[in-house]
Amino acid sequence: MPEPTKKDETETESAPPPPEQKTPQEDGTGKGKVWSLGEGAPEETEKRDDSQRSTLFVEKPQSGSVSVGGNITFIAKVEAKDLLRKPNVKWFKGKWMDLASKAGKHLQLKESFERHTKIHTFEMHIIQAKENYAGNYRCEVSYKDKFDSCSFDLEVTESSQAAPSIDIRSAFKRSGDGQEDAGELDFSGLLKRREVKQQEEEPEVDVWELLKNANPSEYEKIAFQYGITDLRGMLKRLKRMRREVKKSAAFAKGLDPAYQVDKGGKVRFMVELADPTVELKWYKNGQEIRPSAKYIFEHKGNQRILFINNCTMTDDARYYVTAGDEKCSTELFVRDPPILVTKGLEDTSTYVGERVELSCEVSEDDANVKWFRNGVELPNDPKSRYRIKVEGKKHTLIIEEAAKNDNATYSVMTTGGQSEAKLSVDLRPLKISLALEDQTVRLGQEIHLKCEISENVEGKWYKNGQLVEASDRVKLYHKGRIHRFVIASAAVDDEGEYMFVPDAYNINIPCKVHVVDPPKLHLDGLGENNTVTVVAGSKLRLEIPITGEPTPKVMWSKGDKWITDSGRIRAETYPDSSCLVIDTAEREDSGPFRITLKNEAGEDTALINIKVVDVPDPPQAPNVTEVGEDWCVMTWEPPANDGGSPILGYFIERKKKQSSRWMRLNFELCKETTFEPKKMIEGVAYEVRVFAVNAIGISKPSMPSKSFVPLAVTSPPTLLAVDSVTDTSVTMKWRPPDHIGAAGLDGYVVEYCFEGTDEWIVANPELTDKTKFTINGLPTGSKILVRVKAVNAAGESEPRYHPQPILVKEVIEPPKIRLPRHLKQTYTRRVGETVNLVIPFQGRPRAKVSWQKNGSPIDKNQINIRNTENDTIIFIRKAERSHSGEYDMKVEVENLEDKATIDIQIVDRPGPPEVVTIEDVWGENVNLSWKPPKDDGNAAITGYTIQKADKKSMEWFTVIEHYHRTSATINELVIGNEYYFRIFAENMCGLSEDATMTKESALIAKDGKVYKYPVYDDFDFSERPLFTQPLVNTFAVAGYNATLNCSVRGNPKPKITWLKNKVIIMNDPRYRMFSNQGVCTLEIRKPSPYDGGTYTCRAVNELGEAEVDCKLEVKVTQ
């Protein structure tokens, strides 16, 4: 059974309970309380009330009993109906020991899920139970904020073949993490070298008392010495007991802090009461103890005694006794007897490679035993070279093949003793069974060195005194007593003295290896037919790799002439190569060269062809055959001499004529002898040149071409249209081209042809620089096509054609006045301002314009009129009020005419109001009345400004501004003062220059005066409909919404009806009618020419009716 693992000193002692857990009150009962053995939290905080938790368990694990060596299974079930995922379940022994990390040989945790019932089943299997597995266990399940817990006990009973009782300290053993040796002892951290001692009768030691009285720095030492691994749990209990030392009124003598008893023994708990009549109850782990054969109660006067017979590991717990509201607690520790070493280790001597066995015997079968080497614990895992064998009480440490470094002191330790012995490993005398032999091998063959010695030991290989390591090329083999050195392919560097040195022996086995190789030329880097090409004028250094052992003699020749090691052409020889050097190569150096190698192992020879080449000659100067806006076309001839290598292509450069910097135009070779440079600046002079390229390099540049200037014609003229037509002429107009370019624009050529012919006639022999031209001398009634071209230094542009034939016949266009919108209403200006009105009109030919003012001809001395073919201008430099009136304009074309009226109003500031009268004075108030001014300034009076002045100071202060009526009451005057009043009239131009003042003053009397309110008759607001703003003649564009607006007043509110050509408009979706605050609007959605006509707005109430109409003309855009 896995035991608790010793926790880190910095680890938190216990996790806080989940939020759902409640700490029960100390009510003296143990029902439903869950706690853990070995924890140091107070009793009250350890207990949990299951009734307060969220219920997750549908079946809880139940307490059980099992015999030593038997198996038992605990089952917990959780319903998953309300859970979205699997709940988290943990199994604990005591309070803190999580059993998930202890799963292994003796403990297995399983889980399953039944989909039909939606039940999670969790099982804990205990296999081959031991007595120290007994105790309190706990199962916890949690899901999000829900938590549930259940505790249960396991009782392990002794079988008939039960082993001797186990020491209490085994309850605190360390354990592995689920391995075969889970639960074994681990003393490696505090092992001390000891002598073999067998204490047959050592005095009983109370570990609790030792810890209680010891210094904290000695805790680890005591825990190791007495096999306690749950040191943290014991210290918690010690701390708790120290806190509980307090005087009790109920107990004259309480329980000791702790009791210790051997397994199978009997323990006696005794308290002495201050009041013997108080009811006393005993508890174990919160469960009340009832009298039985195991638990015996005894009363002696004030003493109350509890006997626990035949103590087992389940009795290791916390006990307390209650007397009324007070209690007294203690801890009971049940211990097993220590494991003794009955037969110790013996010193052993052996040879390297031999099998070694170190054996000892202990007092119990399958006891936990630890092995150490020089005080360091030996691991017990398959990868270790140390193997531990257990046969009942006998424990053996096995070393299969002893090595020199196995010399050490080995020891074994149990909970009750230890033993140690020395192991001495020596070397056997070494004999050479097969020595290395000297070898001579050819280059590239295998080198195989082999030796055999009498012992199976490792060794090292050396070459010329240097250590040789195994690699991809060098293979080292060791099998038993045979050692081999293999190089698959011998190299020259492999020659030398080799030797093998066995490890741990002062002996070496030498031999010599000699590598030989016939001479050989390596011509892999040369071209086809061993041809080497060199550029004339450059230096050739041809290096030919050579091999051979010993180093061969090298000879060079050309024809019958031997090449020496000096001169322009010379040979240079090196250990692994030979070089043919030609300084400043010439065409005559072309031809075959012979190289010959000789040494005592053989001879090799080869022919090498030297070819001297040069760059090509420059091409001839290129010709520019065509020029565009930013491009040109150039051609050239190939060079006369290609330098002995085919021409691969050409590079082209250009520059501005005034510049000296040439620019490369192509970075990839041009294979042809023609090229089109682009991206040049229009109007700038350029020159171009060419380079020829072969495999050797680039030739010198050709001579520059003749300079040329890129130019481009303009784009066609735009917006060609007919301006006017007579019986013998057509006037065309157009706009300049969109793009003119660097060559500028010299003028335009106008051409025409008669419909049905292809002969274009130039209308202007000389270029015209204007954008308007009249073609004269055309026969009346003929149709012509017209086109216009723009001309510059680069030539004529593409023509711009008029889209339709033009009829040579004067067309009568009816007169039409295009009255601006702002002139359709009264045109208002102030006196002294300038009046400048432009009224466009249509009408051909020779439209006649006439003006009248108020039905009489206009005095041209006061008003200037200027007429053009398309508009007329009326100009008044300094307007006067006499210029106000209705101006009638008439446009006539033959028998047709069109009229329009313009209402001009010249306004000025008004005169002062007429007589101002003080109508009444009462209290602090004065009532004034006055008459409007005679001169309103030719504009409506918009209000009055009233001022007051104290008679004493005569300083005027404004009382009311923008007042609309002709009577007013002035309030908040100072009693006792006497006031004068004056009034200014106001129109759109401002206040009148003068004001009218009251003739008398108004005295604000101090005595009160009863104000008599005037009697007013009820005002009759009834009024027949009256249009305050009429409809205005309107022009609309087809396809765009149009609106007609007017304003009307009347009481009762009149009913509005719209008519078109005297027909009521009803339920027509193309019309929308609005009326808001007396403003009437008719909206015509996307009108067409059909919607033109006379529109009428009719207002009707019970007092009468009124109508207003206007004309709507819908124009279609061309």
Side-chain angles (χ1 to χ4, degrees), residues 678-689:
K678 296 181 179 180
K679 297 183 179 180
M680 291 183 285
I681 301 174
E682 185 179 359
V684 177
Y686 288 90
E687 294 177 348
V688 291
R689 66 182 184 183

Side-chain angles (χ1 to χ4, degrees), residues 62-355:
Q62 303 297 323
S63 300
S65 177
V66 66
S67 300
V68 173
N71 302 335
I72 188 171
T73 300
F74 296 95
I75 299 176
K77 294 185 179 180
V78 178
E79 186 175 9
K81 180 173 64 176
D82 298 330
L83 308 182
L84 299 179
R85 55 179 175 83
K86 187 184 74 173
N88 184 25
V89 174
K90 293 184 179 181
W91 298 86
F92 295 90
K93 182 176 185 217
K95 187 169 184 178
W96 60 267
M97 188 173 72
D98 189 350
L99 298 180
S101 62
K102 308 302 176 183
K105 178 179 179 182
H106 297 284
L107 174 67
Q108 294 182 2
L109 302 179
K110 296 183 180 179
E111 59 184 55
S112 60
F113 177 68
E114 179 61 40
R115 295 186 179 274
H116 299 292
T117 60
K118 294 187 177 179
I119 297 294
H120 288 281
T121 302
F122 301 90
E123 300 178 1
M124 180 176 72
H125 300 279
I126 297 178
I127 304 168
Q128 297 180 3
K130 299 181 181 180
E131 288 189 6
N132 60 337
Y133 293 0
N136 179 261
Y137 290 79
R138 187 173 77 259
C139 178
E140 290 185 356
V141 59
S142 61
Y143 176 79
K144 292 187 177 178
D145 57 345
K146 299 181 179 180
F147 177 82
D148 205 352
S149 175
C150 175
S151 64
F152 54 93
D153 294 324
L154 172 63
E155 183 178 0
V156 181
T157 60
E158 296 183 1
S159 61
S160 57
Q161 296 86 16
S165 61
I166 303 175
D167 184 12
I168 182 176
R169 290 168 291 179
S170 63
F172 306 101
K173 294 175 185 176
R174 295 179 179 229
S175 65
D177 295 335
Q179 305 296 329
E180 290 294 330
D181 59 347
E184 300 300 317
L185 293 173
D186 183 1
F187 300 100
S188 59
L190 300 171
L191 178 64
K192 296 184 179 179
R193 297 177 60 88
R194 302 180 185 175
E195 304 233 348
V196 178
K197 293 182 181 179
Q198 296 293 339
Q199 296 182 355
E200 298 295 339
E201 298 180 359
E202 62 179 45
E204 181 177 347
V205 178
D206 189 341
V207 180
W208 175 260
E209 290 297 330
L210 287 177
L211 289 173
K212 182 177 178 182
N213 300 319
N215 189 293
S217 61
E218 299 292 328
Y219 286 166
E220 289 286 349
K221 180 178 179 181
I222 296 173
F224 166 72
Q225 183 176 358
Y226 292 96
I228 298 172
T229 57
D230 188 15
L231 177 59
R232 181 181 296 274
M234 291 197 70
L235 291 178
K236 288 181 181 178
R237 296 163 86 173
L238 173 62
K239 182 178 180 181
R240 180 171 57 197
M241 296 308 298
R242 286 178 176 172
R243 287 199 307 264
E244 292 179 355
V245 175
K246 61 182 180 179
K247 189 145 185 174
S248 172
F251 295 97
K253 180 179 180 182
L255 296 172
D256 292 339
Y259 295 84
Q260 181 172 292
V261 65
D262 290 335
K263 182 179 178 183
K266 178 179 180 182
V267 67
R268 175 178 178 266
F269 294 152
M270 187 273 290
V271 295
E272 185 175 342
L273 299 176
D275 183 3
T277 62
V278 176
E279 183 182 0
L280 194 77
K281 290 184 180 181
W282 294 88
Y283 293 89
K284 170 190 174 183
N285 288 342
Q287 302 286 337
E288 185 177 356
I289 301 174
R290 301 293 183 183
S292 63
K294 185 177 183 67
Y295 301 103
I296 299 173
F297 296 93
E298 184 176 325
H299 294 188
K300 289 183 179 182
N302 288 352
Q303 293 183 351
R304 300 294 184 265
I305 303 172
L306 169 65
F307 292 96
I308 302 176
N309 297 321
N310 192 21
C311 291
T312 64
M313 297 307 297
T314 58
D315 296 321
D316 187 297
R318 175 189 172 103
Y319 294 82
Y320 64 90
V321 59
T322 61
D325 294 335
E326 294 192 22
K327 72 175 181 178
C328 180
S329 61
T330 187
E331 298 282 346
L332 175 61
F333 294 95
V334 181
R335 68 176 184 179
D336 285 333
I339 304 299
L340 303 178
V341 180
T342 57
K343 182 180 179 181
L345 301 175
E346 296 180 356
D347 293 343
T348 305
S349 296
T350 186
Y351 288 114
V352 173
E354 295 291 337
R355 175 186 171 96

Side-chain angles (χ1 to χ4, degrees), residues 616-869:
D617 292 342
Q620 297 294 323
N623 296 320
V624 178
T625 59
E626 189 176 353
V627 175
E629 177 182 2
D630 63 347
W631 54 272
C632 71
V633 177
M634 55 182 291
T635 60
W636 62 90
E637 295 295 330
N641 184 2
D642 62 3
S645 181
I647 298 297
L648 300 178
Y650 301 90
F651 285 122
I652 296 91
E653 291 183 349
R654 77 165 183 230
K655 76 175 183 68
K656 297 177 183 177
K657 183 177 180 181
Q658 303 300 327
S659 174
S660 59
R661 186 173 69 89
W662 290 89
M663 183 176 68
R664 177 71 57 84
L665 299 182
N666 61 318
F667 294 96
E668 294 184 2
L669 289 176
C670 177
K671 306 294 184 181
E672 308 295 334
T673 57
T674 181
F675 188 75
E676 184 178 342
K678 296 181 179 180
K679 297 183 179 180
M680 291 183 285
I681 301 174
E682 185 179 359
V684 177
Y686 288 90
E687 294 177 348
V688 291
R689 66 182 184 183
V690 183
F691 295 82
V693 181
N694 64 4
I696 307 307
I698 304 175
S699 70
K700 294 181 179 180
S702 68
M703 294 297 294
S705 68
K706 294 181 180 180
S707 62
F708 61 94
V709 179
L711 292 174
V713 297
T714 68
S715 60
T718 58
L719 302 178
L720 177 61
V722 177
D723 185 61
S724 63
V725 180
T726 67
D727 290 341
T728 59
S729 66
V730 173
T731 302
M732 305 298 296
K733 61 182 179 180
W734 60 90
R735 299 293 298 165
D738 292 334
H739 177 70
I740 295 178
L745 178 63
D746 296 338
Y748 301 94
V749 174
V750 181
E751 297 179 343
Y752 69 92
C753 75
F754 293 99
E755 186 179 25
T757 66
D758 295 332
E759 181 182 359
W760 288 93
I761 303 170
V762 177
N764 56 330
E766 296 183 358
L767 297 178
T768 177
D769 56 355
K770 298 182 179 180
T771 58
K772 188 174 181 180
F773 186 79
T774 301
I775 305 174
N776 297 310
L778 298 174
T780 302
S782 62
K783 291 186 177 181
I784 62 172
L785 299 174
V786 181
R787 68 183 184 186
V788 179
K789 300 178 183 178
V791 182
N792 65 2
E796 296 180 350
S797 70
E798 293 292 326
R800 175 67 68 184
Y801 292 88
H802 189 271
Q804 298 175 353
I806 302 170
L807 177 64
V808 183
K809 183 178 180 182
E810 191 168 25
V811 179
I812 296 176
E813 182 179 359
K816 186 66 178 178
I817 299 174
R818 301 294 185 183
L819 192 64
R821 183 179 296 272
H822 68 282
L823 296 180
K824 293 180 181 180
Q825 300 178 359
T826 301
Y827 183 77
T828 304
R829 281 290 181 271
R830 296 187 181 185
V831 172
E833 292 183 345
T834 300
V835 177
N836 186 16
L837 303 179
V838 179
I839 299 96
F841 61 84
Q842 295 177 348
R844 293 181 186 276
R846 295 172 296 280
K848 181 180 178 182
V849 181
S850 60
W851 285 89
Q852 286 186 344
K853 176 187 176 186
N854 297 328
S856 301
I858 292 178
D859 185 359
K860 295 184 178 180
N861 294 327
Q862 295 183 1
I863 302 173
N864 296 323
I865 303 294
R866 184 177 64 83
N867 298 323
T868 66
E869 294 181 358

Side-chain angles (χ1 to χ4, degrees), residues 459-462 467-471 473-479 483-487 500:
K460 295 181 176 58
W461 291 88
Y462 293 87
L467 179 65
V468 178
E469 300 287 350
S471 64
R473 185 169 176 273
V474 178
K475 305 296 182 182
L476 304 180
Y477 300 97
H478 172 210
K479 185 176 181 181
H483 295 265
R484 294 187 297 129
F485 179 98
V486 178
I487 298 178
F500 174 74

Side-chain angles (χ1 to χ4, degrees), residues 871-932:
D871 57 33
T872 179
I873 300 175
I874 180 169
F875 179 77
I876 303 175
R877 184 176 301 278
K878 190 173 182 181
E880 298 178 358
R881 290 177 61 177
S882 60
H883 294 145
S884 300
E886 291 186 354
Y887 291 76
D888 298 321
M889 174 184 174
K890 182 170 68 174
V891 179
E892 297 178 306
V893 175
E894 296 185 356
N895 297 327
L896 303 175
E897 67 178 26
D898 192 17
K899 295 180 179 180
T901 299
I902 301 174
D903 187 5
I904 298 178
Q905 183 179 6
I906 308 300
V907 298
D908 197 1
R909 291 196 294 178
E914 294 192 22
V915 180
V916 178
T917 306
I918 299 175
E919 297 291 343
D920 196 3
V921 178
W922 74 99
E924 301 174 355
N925 309 307
V926 174
N927 181 256
L928 303 175
S929 65
W930 62 90
K931 293 182 180 180

